[in-house]
């Protein structure tokens, strides 16, 4: 009979208690309170415990009559989805290409780590400064306009470069492409190189290998990256605020404004709706993968 | 396939190089512009070269008290960093074995990473405002003078602020711990126990040296993400402002290169912290191999 090897492993599960307590106090309870307060009433000075649907009714006021065109809420969501879609598309294409280059063309591990870190370092610096740093390039007298004028390509400076939807998407891509690169790169590193060799030997060209072998095998990475980018843009209020010159609408900005005016139950109701939409998007996307297997 | 020098290589190399320029170009342009002379503006061309705007920044002319918010951000960053390391490492150890609610805790952590930051900030702010009303009601009921007269709010950097930031730093910490323990060779621990080490000795002499580079990585995430955090912090810092909060205010009011000087200073600090951490990771890894 084989002797059972006794592995001495003390029970360490209690070590997760402090970690769990932080998430209860600063994540679970706040979200529950948000849900509760979204049914409360409020005046200019205070919030009043109650159970009313007024905050939700107010959000969708006039949304289902379509007499005066779209209501503010629908317009804001359409604007938010617009930023989501373009940011998602560009970060996906760019992030995939960068990850593909790092995973398949860079063969030395130290070089691969170095180039990967070069992509990561800006993530650890200030988002606000990264946004501000576009001003000297995109402004009315910025580098882009000055250069194009001096080459005679345009006569007048282009006004839409800064404080526009263009600069918002540009800044979002600038800030969040890394969220695509990391999970896609991680998926690509797990692909057995022999599978690609086999496809190549069977006569597939590079485009076919990417579409028929690499993309299907990277699906989990692509989905995780997409969830990150879409959720971060759905709730964004800083980038759309700063890079949009405080002129463009997003659902995050509405919540932020309501909070600044202490209309907390209204902000809570908007948050609940935003959260439900975000959860819906995530559920649809995670139908395809098991996140835990990807670590 | 994937040969260096092929057409495909050149295409993806040029995408990669363009991406790196796109990533770093803007920040280097504001670093350049922060060294302009006194007549410099917000855009190119450079108007002379001087340290004038850094001097202005140092004197704090025309700004809110940047020095104070800077010190507050550093202090909070260090506090969040220490908590992130301790909590992530201990939770990481717990997660090596399944325990009651481990799946639930894991998914809660992931959910915290992707919940819209503004929603979280609102929730935490609500929680502490409700605590405020409880304290005030309590104070009035029992007629406690100090509460009735002086109590303002329980919102603050070290009550609500650090917690909101932890919901952002801890998921990264836990994911790093998962990544290291998924690749961890358990036979090393068994060997250590066979040689008579108890569990504390096994942790400090066997496990800890192996995970040390990852712990430095967690510390790097903890500090930098807290130091620069804005979205989750926006509603929960109470009466005080951290540096990113002040910076956001300045983007709409300041029209001189002083904001670039500030950007250069805070980015340099981030770069120093990153450089120091990555060097430490490098040293620890090579010590391990030797």
């Amino acid at each position: 009979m084989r002797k059972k090897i006794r592995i001495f492993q003390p029970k360490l599960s209690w070590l997760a208690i402090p970690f769990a307590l932080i998430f209860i106090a600063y994540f679970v309870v706040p979200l529950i309170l948000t849900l509760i307060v979204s049914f409360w009433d409020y005046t200019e000075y205070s919030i009043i415990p109650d159970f009313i649907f007024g905050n939700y009714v107010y959000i969708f006021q006039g949304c289902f009559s379509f007499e005066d065109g779209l209501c503010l809420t629908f317009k804001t969501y359409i604007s938010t989805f617009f930023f989501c879609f373009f940011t998602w598309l560009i970060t996906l294409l760019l992030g995939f290409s960068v990850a593909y280059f790092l995973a398949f063309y860079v063969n030395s591990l130290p070089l691969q780590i170095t180039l990967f870190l070069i992509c990561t370092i800006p993530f650890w610096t200030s988002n606000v400064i990264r946004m501000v740093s576009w001003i000297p390039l995109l402004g009315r007298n910025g580098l882009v306009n000055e250069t194009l004028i001096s080459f005679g390509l345009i006569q007048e400076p282009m006004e839409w470069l800064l404080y526009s939807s263009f600069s918002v998407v540009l800044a979002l891509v600038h800030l969040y492409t890394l969220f695509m690169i990391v999970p896609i790169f991680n998926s690509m590193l797990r692909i057995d190189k022999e599978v690609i060799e086999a496809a190549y030997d069977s006569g597939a060209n590079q485009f076919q290998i990417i579409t028929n072998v690499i993309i299907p095998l990277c699906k989990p990475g692509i989905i995780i990256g997409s969830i990150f980018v879409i959720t971060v843009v759905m709730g964004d209020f800083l980038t759309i605020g700063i890079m949009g010159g405080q002129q463009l609408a997003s659902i995050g900005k509405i919540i932020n404004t309501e909070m600044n005016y202490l209309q907390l139950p209204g902000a809570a109701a908007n948050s609940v709706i935003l959260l439900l939409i975000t959860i819906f998007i995530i559920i649809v996307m995670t139908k395809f993968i098991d996140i835990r297997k990807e670590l | 396939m994937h040969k260096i020098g092929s057409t495909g290589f050149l295409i993806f190399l040029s995408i990669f190089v363009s991406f790196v320029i796109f990533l770093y170009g803007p920040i280097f342009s504001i670093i350049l512009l922060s060294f302009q002379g006194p007549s410099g503006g917000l855009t190119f061309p450079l108007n002379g070269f001087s340290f004038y705007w850094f001097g202005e920044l140092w004197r704090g002319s025309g700004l809110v008290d940047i020095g104070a918010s800077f010190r507050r951000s550093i202090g909070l960053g260090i506090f969040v960093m220490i908590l992130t390391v301790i909590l992530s490492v201990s939770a990481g150890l717990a997660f090596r074995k399944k325990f009651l609610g481990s799946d639930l805790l894991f998914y809660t952590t992931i959910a915290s990473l992707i919940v819209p930051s503004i929603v979280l900030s609102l929730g935490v702010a609500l929680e502490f405002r409700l605590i405020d009303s409880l304290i005030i009601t309590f104070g009035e009921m029992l007629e406690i003078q100090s509460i009735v007269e002086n109590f303002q709010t329980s919102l603050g950097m070290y009550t609500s602020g650090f917690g909101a930031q932890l919901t952002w730093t801890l998921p990264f910490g836990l994911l790093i711990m998962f990544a290291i323990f998924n690749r961890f060779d358990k036979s090393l621990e068994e060997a250590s126990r066979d040689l008579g080490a108890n569990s504390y000795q096994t942790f400090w002499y066997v496990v800890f040296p192996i995970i040390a580079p990852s712990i430095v990585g967690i510390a790097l995430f903890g500090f930098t993400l807290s130091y620069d955090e804005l979205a989750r912090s926006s509603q929960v810092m109470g009466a005080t402002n951290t540096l990113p909060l002040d910076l956001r205010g300045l983007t709409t009011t300041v029209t001189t290169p002083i904001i670039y000087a500030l950007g250069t200073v805070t980015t340099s600090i981030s770069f120093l912290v990153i450089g120091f951490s990555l060097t430490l990771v490098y040293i620890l890894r090579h010590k391990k191999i030797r």
Side-chain angles (χ1 to χ4, degrees), chain B residues 44-94:
Chain B
F44 288 104
L46 281 169
N47 264 324
F49 177 88
S50 74
F51 293 96
Y52 174 80
W53 296 107
F54 291 95
E56 288 290 288
L57 181 65
W58 184 252
R59 279 192 294 278
S61 46
L63 297 178
V64 284
D65 193 356
I66 281 294
S69 56
F70 171 73
R71 284 189 294 276
R72 280 196 289 269
S73 276
I74 297 266
L76 184 63
I78 292 170
F79 184 68
V80 170
M81 174 185 84
I82 293 169
L83 280 179
T84 306
V85 167
I86 294 173
L87 296 176
S88 308
V89 172
S90 54
L93 289 170

Side-chain angles (χ1 to χ4, degrees), chain B:
Chain B
M1 190 64 207
H2 299 130
K3 277 194 200 69
I4 307 292
S6 63
T7 324
F9 170 77
L10 293 174
I11 293 171
F12 284 100
L13 175 68
S14 50
I15 294 175
F16 182 79
V17 172
S18 318
F19 177 68
V20 172
I21 294 170
F22 168 68
L23 216 48
Y24 288 89
I27 192 74
F28 281 111
S29 69
I30 70 159
I31 291 174
L32 266 180
L33 287 169
S34 65
F35 289 101
Q36 292 186 96
S39 61
L42 282 180
T43 52
F44 288 104
L46 281 169
N47 264 324
F49 177 88
S50 74
F51 293 96
Y52 174 80
W53 296 107
F54 291 95
E56 288 290 288
L57 181 65
W58 184 252
R59 279 192 294 278
S61 46
L63 297 178
V64 284
D65 193 356
I66 281 294
S69 56
F70 171 73
R71 284 189 294 276
R72 280 196 289 269
S73 276
I74 297 266
L76 184 63
I78 292 170
F79 184 68
V80 170
M81 174 185 84
I82 293 169
L83 280 179
T84 306
V85 167
I86 294 173
L87 296 176
S88 308
V89 172
S90 54
L93 289 170
F95 266 105
R96 295 182 73 188
K97 272 183 149 186
K98 251 190 170 332
F99 56 86
L100 183 70
S102 60
D103 278 347
L104 182 66
L105 185 56
F106 174 77
Y107 285 112
T108 307
T109 313
I110 296 297
S112 165
L113 196 57
I114 51 189
V115 69
S117 298
I118 183 75
V119 174
L120 187 111
S121 200
L122 167 74
V124 175
L126 270 177
E127 183 181 33
F128 281 80
R129 279 174 201 280
L130 294 174
I131 292 174
D132 284 353
S133 8
L134 279 182
I135 291 175
I136 290 170
T137 321
F138 186 71
E140 281 167 354
M141 264 167 55
L142 299 180
E143 291 171 1
I144 301 169
Q145 280 300 311
S146 58
I147 293 181
V148 176
E149 283 170 13
N150 298 324
F151 182 77
Q152 295 284 331
T153 177
S154 58
L155 281 160
M157 286 204 311
Y158 293 99
T159 50
S160 49
F162 84 98
Q165 295 192 337
L166 280 177
T167 63
W168 177 234
T169 60
L170 284 179
F172 287 104
L174 189 68
L175 290 179
I176 294 173
M177 289 306 289
F178 268 55
I180 179 90
F181 279 134
N182 277 359
R183 292 164 181 75
F184 198 88
D185 186 357
K186 285 199 174 103
S187 58
L188 290 169
E189 282 165 282
E190 285 166 35
S192 142
R193 289 191 180 111
D194 288 347
L195 292 170
N198 64 31
S199 56
Y200 288 100
Q201 289 169 320
T202 304
F203 177 76
W204 284 112
Y205 296 111
V206 179
V207 179
F208 184 76
I210 296 173
I211 65 171
S214 304
I215 292 178
V216 176
I218 295 172
L220 172 64
F221 273 90
F223 180 80
T224 58
L225 295 187
S226 158
Y227 176 68
D228 294 320
E229 217 290 324
L230 178 52
R232 289 181 190 217
S233 314
S234 61
Q235 308 290 342
V236 294
M237 289 300 169
T240 51
N241 265 1
T242 58
L243 189 62
L245 283 160
D246 274 343
L247 264 173
R248 178 176 62 150
L250 294 178
T251 58
T252 49
T253 53
V254 174
T255 51
T256 61
I258 197 165
I259 192 167
Y260 295 158
L262 184 53
T264 303
V265 170
T266 172
T267 308
S268 307
I269 289 164
S270 299
F271 279 159
L272 277 177
V273 171
I274 296 163
F276 173 76
S277 312
L278 294 180
T279 312
L280 197 57
V281 169
Y282 184 81
I283 291 169
L284 288 170
R285 283 190 160 210
H286 280 252
K287 214 170 105 190
K288 193 177 79 193
I289 291 163
R290 192 150 44 83

Side-chain angles (χ1 to χ4, degrees), chain A residues 12 34 43 45 87 100 102 104-105 130 142 169 179 185 197 203 206 231 234 245 287:
Chain A
L12 291 172
T34 305
T43 66
Y45 316 102
T87 309
Y100 180 76
L102 287 176
F104 294 109
Y105 282 114
R130 290 178 75 192
V169 174
F179 286 173
F185 180 62
E197 288 298 324
Q206 188 168 9
T231 52
M234 278 303 290
K287 279 276 175 257

Side-chain angles (χ1 to χ4, degrees), chain A residues 3-9, chain B residues 190 193-194:
Chain A
K3 200 179 156 195
K4 198 179 161 200
I5 305 169
R6 227 192 74 201
I7 304 167
F8 173 72
Q9 255 197 345
Chain B
E190 285 166 35
R193 289 191 180 111
D194 288 347

